[in-house]
Amino acid sequence: MIALAIELSSVAGSVALFRDGQVIAERSWREKYVRAQQVFRALPEMLEETHLTVDAIGAFLVGRGPGSYSGLRVAITAARAMALPGNSLVYTVSSGEALVLEVARDMKDGNIAIMGDARRETLWLGMFEVKDRQVTCTLPWAVVAIGDVASRLPAGSVIASPDWTRLEPALPGLGIRGVQQERFPQARYVGELALAKWKAGLPSEPLVPIYVHPAVGATTPLGA
């Protein structure tokens, strides 16, 4: 089966084509703002490279966040539109969980925190435990005040965030000791996670973005 994975939750967008579970082509890019325009140039390039057409795609695998609401809406809407003529499968997973899958491959047992800037001195946060190569969610996606973050993290947690350059100045005084790094969800891991869940008989997550940011009229920088 040919499957297309789309990940547009951050400024680092990406798409990946799979054939029978293996990546056969992928594209990634950075945007100053998440407008998700590059995906409409990257997809035709990949199809031409692999001598495929949209009609050949049997499943559309989409990261649904947390992250940029505009990027997530574009990803889900584009997948549903392309799937409609052939009534193809559209399957969504959490972009954050896909990032956990990637980070977990670089570590042994431990805890992983995926977080991002939710504005107004808050973060969106999800916690996961890795044990014997199995990943378990220990804190579903939630909005947490910056001052409460340290109390939520087990000692030595690995912290990964697509918003790390914005978060870093606000975190030093919180007593956080874990490994900290800027990481972005990638389409290949969204695809791997979605295909594994689908093959295990698990249902798709809802075909709507995970949007945990509080509504604001203007962005207030962290620490302001």
Side-chain angles (χ1 to χ4, degrees), residues 62-134:
V62 189
R64 61 182 290 255
S68 163
Y69 192 54
S70 59
L72 297 171
R73 285 189 301 174
V74 168
I76 294 173
T77 301
R80 296 183 74 171
M82 288 186 286
L84 186 60
N87 196 28
S88 300
L89 172 71
V90 179
Y91 195 105
T92 65
V93 295
S94 164
S95 306
E97 188 176 351
L99 181 54
V100 170
L101 178 66
E102 178 185 357
V103 173
R105 294 185 176 187
D106 299 332
M107 61 182 288
K108 296 182 179 179
D109 293 355
N111 296 281
I112 300 173
I114 306 296
M115 62 177 64
D117 180 7
R119 311 183 184 100
R120 292 184 175 179
E121 301 298 316
T122 61
L123 306 175
W124 54 261
L125 172 68
M127 285 295 310
F128 300 81
E129 181 182 21
V130 181
K131 188 172 184 180
D132 297 328
R133 298 187 178 276
Q134 299 298 313

Side-chain angles (χ1 to χ4, degrees), residues 129-149:
E129 181 182 21
V130 181
K131 188 172 184 180
D132 297 328
R133 298 187 178 276
Q134 299 298 313
V135 177
T136 303
C137 179
T138 56
L139 174 68
W141 303 113
V143 174
V144 180
I146 291 176
D148 296 335
V149 171

Side-chain angles (χ1 to χ4, degrees), residues 26-27 47 105 107 124 211-212 224:
E26 61 184 325
R27 294 287 189 279
L47 292 174
R105 294 185 176 187
M107 61 182 288
W124 54 261
Y211 189 60
V212 294

Side-chain angles (χ1 to χ4, degrees):
M1 181 183 69
I2 303 298
L4 172 68
I6 307 174
E7 170 49 47
L8 303 178
S9 68
S10 73
V11 294
S14 56
V15 286
L17 271 172
F18 289 77
R19 177 183 281 121
D20 299 329
Q22 302 297 315
V23 175
I24 58 173
E26 61 184 325
R27 294 287 189 279
S28 60
W29 59 88
R30 293 283 187 100
E31 298 179 302
K32 185 176 182 180
Y33 304 105
V34 186
R35 294 185 175 137
Q37 298 173 346
Q38 294 284 350
V39 66
F40 299 109
R41 289 190 282 268
L43 179 55
E45 291 177 359
M46 289 198 307
L47 292 174
E48 182 177 1
E49 174 187 323
T50 54
H51 306 289
L52 295 170
T53 65
V54 172
D55 294 342
I57 300 173
F60 295 84
L61 318 171
V62 189
R64 61 182 290 255
S68 163
Y69 192 54
S70 59
L72 297 171
R73 285 189 301 174
V74 168
I76 294 173
T77 301
R80 296 183 74 171
M82 288 186 286
L84 186 60
N87 196 28
S88 300
L89 172 71
V90 179
Y91 195 105
T92 65
V93 295
S94 164
S95 306
E97 188 176 351
L99 181 54
V100 170
L101 178 66
E102 178 185 357
V103 173
R105 294 185 176 187
D106 299 332
M107 61 182 288
K108 296 182 179 179
D109 293 355
N111 296 281
I112 300 173
I114 306 296
M115 62 177 64
D117 180 7
R119 311 183 184 100
R120 292 184 175 179
E121 301 298 316
T122 61
L123 306 175
W124 54 261
L125 172 68
M127 285 295 310
F128 300 81
E129 181 182 21
V130 181
K131 188 172 184 180
D132 297 328
R133 298 187 178 276
Q134 299 298 313
V135 177
T136 303
C137 179
T138 56
L139 174 68
W141 303 113
V143 174
V144 180
I146 291 176
D148 296 335
V149 171
S151 64
R152 301 290 189 102
L153 304 182
S157 296
V158 172
I159 301 170
S161 173
D163 296 328
W164 186 248
T165 54
R166 295 205 300 274
L167 301 186
E168 189 174 16
L171 296 181
L174 299 181
I176 295 174
R177 298 289 182 264
V179 178
Q180 301 150 15
Q181 51 192 303
E182 181 179 62
R183 298 285 282 269
F184 298 95
Q186 297 181 49
R188 67 161 48 227
Y189 292 102
V190 167
E192 286 185 16
L193 178 63
L195 288 170
K197 289 191 171 190
W198 177 61
K199 289 178 180 178
L202 299 176
S204 168
E205 294 186 16
L207 304 185
V208 294
I210 299 173
Y211 189 60
V212 294
H213 298 65
V216 294
T219 301
T220 302
L222 287 170

